[in-house]
Amino acid sequence: MNTKGEMTQLDRQHSYVGRNLSRDKAKRAVHGRGRYTDDITLPRTVHAAFVRSPYAHANITTIDVEAAKAHPGVVLVMTGAELKEMCTGPWLGTLSVFETMKTAPQYPMAVERACWQGEPVVMVVAESRAVAEDAAELVEISYEELPVVAHKETALEPGANLVHPDLGDNLAFEKTIDNGDVETAFANADHVLEATFDFGRHTAVSLEPRALLASYEKDTEQLTIYTSSQTPHMIQAIIAKTLGLPEHKCRVVAPFVGGSFGLKIHSFGDEFAATAASMKLGRPVKFIADRLESFLTDIHARENRVNGKLAVSKDGDIQALEIDILSGVGAYSQYPRTSVFEANQILNITGGPYKHAHYKARMRVAYMNKVPTSQYRAVGHPIGNSVGEALVDMAAEKIGMDPMELRRRNIMEDDSYPRMTASGIEVADMSHQACLETLVERMKYDDLCAERDSLRQKGVYRGVGIAAFIKGTAPGPAGYYGAGGAPIASQDAATVKIEPSGNIICAVGVTDQGQGVDTVMQQITAGALGVPPEMVRVIEGDTDATPYGGGTYASRATAIGGEATYQAALALRAELLVLAGALLQAEPDSLDIVNGDVVDSGTENARIPLSELGRIGHFQVAQLPNDIEPQLSHTKRFRLKDALYIFTNGIHGAYVEVDPDTGFITLLDHWVVEDCGRVINPLLADEQVRGGCVQGIGGALYEHCVYDDQAQLLNGSLVDYIVPMASEMPNIDVAHVQTHTGVSELGSKGVGESGTGAAAGRVMNAVNDAISPFGGKVFEQPMTPEVLLKALGKI
Amino acid sequence: MADEKIDIALTVNGENVTATVPARMHLVDFLRTELELTGSHLGCEHGICGACSVRVDGVVVRGCLMLAAQCDGSNVVTIEGLSDSEEVADLQDRFVERNAMQCGFCTPGMLMTAAELLAKNDELPREQIREFMSGNFCRCTGYHAIIDAIETTMKDRKAGGAR
Amino acid sequence: MKAPRFKYARPGTLSEAFGLLSDFGEEARILAGGQSLMPTLNMRLSQPEIVIDINRLDELKGISDEGDHIRIGALTRHVEVLESSIVTDKLPLIAEAIPHVAHVAVRNRGTFGGSVALADPAAEMPACALALQGTFVVEGPNGRREIAADDFFHSLYETARAPDEILVEARLPVAQPGEVFAFMELARRKGDFAQAGVACKAVISGDVIESGRLVYFGSELKPTLGAGAMAALEGKSWSDDLAETVAAALDDDLDPMENLHGSAAMKLHLQKVLTKRTLSAAVEKARAV
């Protein structure tokens, strides 16, 4: 149904929408025949390696590259200063929508000063990566160490060391929102709950590291880049801008991408350097970040300290919420998406499911001499959700109400939309109540709590944790990126065309990293047109072959790209019926397309196959009347009009066991009920949620980029940075409520980050429930045994 | 006797291969760059993630932790060879049906390890399937679907289902 | 990260290996299973002149029942230990510990001897060998020596093996009547390095622990006997009070290393918890016999 409740093409019996179609790329992947950036070879490719700053903050006083240059097999050595000469200007990671934000100018490689351990300083290009690394060891650099900013807690104090002395202080950005009257609400409240929450810095750890193969043709000044990116058009735009290349002569191709999770929507200095090397050499240059340099350069995220306060009445009405966010970012605001989004999202979404009117939030973002941070799956939501949901549980405990019941009492009603959140965001088409009741049923909440209670008597400490969430997906142009000046598209486009054979090509601006974007577009196209999916091939990830788009980020592919695809397919369908009508002497609206044939509506008698229409339309146009000009290809764009995001909602449940003697946590069962609007492919949507949950669990229990007082990363390898593996992860039950969004005919919202957004919150709540007999609370993530044992008073 | 360039003769996916390799080159770099068998992937090169898993002399190993030089005389099977042999064609079908992969980067390694699991066990509780697979990192799926696919294959085989 | 340049040699006999070791001295690294050496090479933490591949030395292979002890050749892969019926029948402590060693792919290549020779503080096999009062045989250009496990582990990655010697085999005494064994470790994820661990051999009759050997790993610089804990339990009846007394003795026995995963206080606490649980399990096993 569309938003008016009418049957659409997608709801019809023959539609493939809502079905579990297998992915074509999966068939390749399962035979080891995926083609990732490092699998692509071009003749005469050379390889880049980097010398990186060993210090978090240091002046670079001398660089001697002579021995490196002389090493056999080396074709180029480039310093940051030499690369700067090839750039049109520095990067400034600010957006005009964050008016008071400040950052220091940054070049792709450090020029006179290195500002984080790992910042690239010198690039060596050689016949193999191994030889490049050999030569890199011969580069001699002298550094003069500078004072380091290693702790966000002190970075904003007067007299603190400065990351960029020219900026005057380490404050990147500050913002406060103050809605309603929080002071009065707290003063009059029956109960006020308060706590400080700490979240460890972590990073995406995509299994395929960042990868780039740049090939510059000197004769035609054309650049081709194969790169593991979610956003080929953005890469095209900023590569062209930074290196002074004509944008229309840059082609960016994202082949198979081995995981991304937001990491690969960003641009990185070493990738620009490798591209510049290709321009200098006129040869392909390949750069594959190895795992060690990934930890020192991939964007980091999630390092925040949040003070939270919640007012609740003795009857269980949540009245007010106040949070104060201190966000610890890196040495620069990441270009071009900035490093302040995370804190901004925390500010936007904390307490989002609830009806309270009073909300105050302050965010301060502090620079440190660490790896720059930026958007990583569920941006800010895991933090805001953990804070809000923990405070709700504390409130429930205080007034002696069941935590599910407190949520039931306070969540926004399903028939109350559109409405505003207390943070000032308009939300619509949500289903908190339906999701909550579905969760209660699926997790057998009452039985689970009873089991927990009875096991407690036997000295087995289990906990039940709930986390309700809202999630901003599919940003609109009125929002941050485009409006703020970044060359990042919030609109997206699809071209749907018929080939002479009658088969359909759908070229889209959104991209696939394995979540199945291509399959989803295939299903939408097939459903809209009335053809079997095998007749549809989707092209994505190539700026030469697709209409301009934003790529995949912020769970926008289905919601935005899908709507563009739908509209383009409908437009082609309409044209095909006109053509068929002309050939059959019938009214177009007496015809339909089913299973690849034009049929009479109603009887479904096949009249003419699409293959005939394709053949005639391309080769035998004379068979058509002169007043019909077959286009056979339709491009449609789609964007949100006024909304910043399409907000989704859902609720998570977790059942865990804590060993109170060791502090070890065992994850038992987990549940998610979420509303992403119309689900195109249930299997793919479920798996996005599952994978997202486990990634969120990683942050809750394991993942932490640990820095010392000199801002040196202590655990920059997979030996010491621990990620979730199969043995410890739970089975995850997933269910969907489908409230179509009114912003599009497709009605789909984003789903990719919903698992991650509330996984940590549900686990933390479950852990705190499990240890409640001992009186301690855990408000720090990752929740390591050390953290638990301290909360339990055992150490 | 001691050299930086080593002559090796080995079998890869059933084919005899001779090559001269740098002593320092690990097995997966050899497979990927010299033999263009790009199905084996590199995720860490320090033996943790399992993306490099290949079969050497009948057992699954971390290919990044073996030198090509030490594989002289060995029998190496990569995902390409495993696929062509159809040894786990049923498992591969289950992977596709169950969507037990997303980006696909861990998939060859997962399949090499799961092939050994299936060869050694005709029945295994789910927790032990998870344990067997605990040396292969997946960032996309959260493992649930992978374990489902292996469990289903195992059950089908035990029930005498078609391979 | 690509390994630095090095030479490679694959000796066919032990004496060839000794020749190479003597030529290259400290610039040589022995390649056995490679599961610990290769990461250091790939990460350029180690830059030897030569890697000596000893995987063809057949005299270092095999598990055999020698009557009063089991001989495990240094090149025996962990998977062979895991699947050996000799180990299952005669070395129950090893059988209980070996599934905790890393993961399938690592066990397929990693060797018993490699684990002992490296002596990683979190490794399971060195701790078990020490608990079993095993003996290691090393061989060098000057011949063979036998070193008791008690004398083998000196400090962090430091053993009694000289740089020009190769570990040849381990000799582990078979279980005697009245002996029970228990093994526990705590790791964040299956197969991870242990945060704390105990390998225990005890002689228990009825509820009385006549004697016990408690070896701690994962928290100390090397596998460490809990001497005070062992003294506290000798000849005593098992009870909650005894468990507390034994655990308390660890305050003096252990000096845990703080690391990224936890403080010294946490590690000590975990070793105490594991001690109680391990002894309790051993007592249960004795009852069940």
Side-chain angles (χ1 to χ4, degrees), chain A residues 2-4 412-419 426-435 470-471 640 643 645-650 674-678 737-744 747-749:
Chain A
N2 67 8
T3 53
K4 301 175 200 134
M412 294 177 175
E413 294 89 348
D414 290 353
D415 60 1
S416 66
Y417 300 101
R419 63 184 293 163
E426 182 172 300
V427 289
D429 306 314
M430 287 191 164
S431 60
H432 285 291
Q433 290 177 314
C435 286
I470 64 168
K471 173 74 187 68
L640 301 188
Y645 291 94
I646 304 174
F647 269 89
T648 70
N649 70 275
E674 72 80 52
D675 187 342
C676 58
R678 182 193 297 274
V737 171
Q738 298 189 43
T739 311
H740 293 190
T741 171
V743 307
S744 68
S748 299
K749 311 170 190 169

Side-chain angles (χ1 to χ4, degrees), chain A residues 374-385:
Chain A
S374 199
Q375 273 66 299
Y376 165 49
R377 199 173 194 174
V379 186
H381 291 64
I383 293 141
N385 183 266

Side-chain angles (χ1 to χ4, degrees), chain A residues 22-23 26-27 29-34 36 38-39 41 130-131 134 203-209 256-259 261 290-292 376-377 513-515 683-684 687-688 690-692 694-695 703 717-719 721 723-727 729-732, chain B residues 24 32 36 38-46 48-49 51 62 79-80 83-84 91-93 95-108 111 126-127 129-148:
Chain A
S22 291
R23 296 186 298 120
K27 296 167 194 168
V30 92
H31 292 109
R33 289 197 279 266
Y36 304 84
D38 194 26
D39 301 339
T41 48
V131 169
D134 293 343
T203 186
V205 196
S206 58
L207 188 56
E208 181 208 19
F256 272 60
V257 171
F261 320 110
D290 66 35
R291 186 53 58 190
L292 300 186
Y376 165 49
R377 199 173 194 174
Q513 298 81 46
Q515 66 276 68
L683 178 58
L684 298 186
E687 291 309 308
Q688 277 286 78
R690 290 195 172 99
V694 168
Q695 206 160 9
E703 298 182 45
S717 81
L718 284 180
V719 178
Y721 180 98
V723 291
M725 304 294 275
S727 256
M729 289 304 107
N731 297 322
I732 301 170
Chain B
R24 63 165 158 181
R32 289 178 55 81
E36 297 184 303
T38 57
S40 308
H41 300 142
L42 292 172
C44 76
E45 289 182 300
H46 43 280
I48 307 289
C49 74
R62 295 186 176 328
I79 183 65
E80 291 89 345
S83 293
D84 289 346
L91 177 66
Q92 287 166 307
D93 288 345
F95 259 58
V96 173
E97 276 163 30
R98 182 62 190 81
N99 205 54
M101 85 236 86
Q102 293 179 28
C103 80
F105 205 73
C106 76
T107 305
L111 290 168
R126 195 176 169 90
E127 308 77 57
I129 297 177
R130 281 184 178 275
E131 263 188 41
F132 201 100
M133 303 305 296
S134 65
N136 285 79
F137 176 46
C138 174
R139 194 50 149 173
C140 297
T141 68
Y143 307 104
H144 182 141
I146 294 173
I147 306 304
D148 279 354

Side-chain angles (χ1 to χ4, degrees), chain A residues 213-371:
Chain A
L213 172 59
S215 179
Y216 183 72
E217 293 290 336
K218 281 186 170 172
D219 301 311
T220 52
E221 297 181 334
Q222 289 191 351
L223 173 68
T224 303
I225 290 178
Y226 299 90
T227 183
S228 189
S229 173
Q230 296 169 238
T231 54
H233 282 105
M234 184 202 85
I235 297 292
Q236 178 192 47
I238 57 181
I239 287 267
K241 182 175 173 197
T242 303
L243 295 174
L245 293 166
E247 190 184 60
H248 64 296
K249 293 192 176 183
C250 295
R251 175 185 180 202
V252 179
V253 179
F256 272 60
V257 171
S260 48
F261 320 110
L263 162 66
K264 296 173 180 175
I265 66 175
H266 303 289
S267 57
F268 295 88
D270 41 29
E271 295 167 7
F272 281 74
T275 305
S278 182
M279 290 166 65
K280 262 244 151 45
L281 294 167
R283 291 171 75 165
V285 175
K286 184 179 267 189
F287 169 61
I288 311 293
D290 66 35
R291 186 53 58 190
L292 300 186
E293 64 193 331
S294 295
F295 276 108
L296 289 175
T297 50
D298 289 357
I299 51 98
H300 287 185
R302 309 274 207 257
E303 182 179 345
N304 287 271
R305 166 171 283 187
V306 182
N307 293 319
K309 220 161 106 168
L310 182 146
V312 68
S313 75
K314 58 184 180 333
D315 298 325
D317 292 320
I318 297 170
Q319 295 159 325
L321 181 61
E322 181 174 351
I323 61 172
D324 190 5
I325 306 157
L326 176 61
S327 198
V329 301
Y332 292 97
S333 175
Q334 182 75 10
Y335 174 78
R337 294 182 191 253
T338 86
S339 297
V340 308
F341 257 84
E342 180 173 89
N344 200 52
Q345 288 292 59
I346 300 171
L347 183 143
N348 279 338
I349 62 94
T350 303
Y354 306 110
K355 295 185 285 191
H356 54 287
H358 310 288
Y359 180 64
K360 184 172 174 185
R362 175 175 77 150
M363 60 180 268
R364 290 176 305 152
V365 180
Y367 287 118
M368 293 186 284
N369 289 107
K370 296 183 182 176
V371 177

Side-chain angles (χ1 to χ4, degrees), chain A residues 16 21 113 132 136 187 193 213 322 386 423 429 506 536 540 568 593:
Chain A
Y16 282 83
L21 197 69
R113 184 168 61 102
L193 294 311
L213 172 59
E322 181 174 351
S386 293
S423 61
D429 306 314
C506 170
V536 178
E540 47 87 24
I593 306 175

Side-chain angles (χ1 to χ4, degrees), chain A residues 51 270 421 641 666 671 675 706:
Chain A
V51 182
D270 41 29
T421 65
K641 301 301 184 288
T666 303
W671 299 261
D675 187 342
V706 180

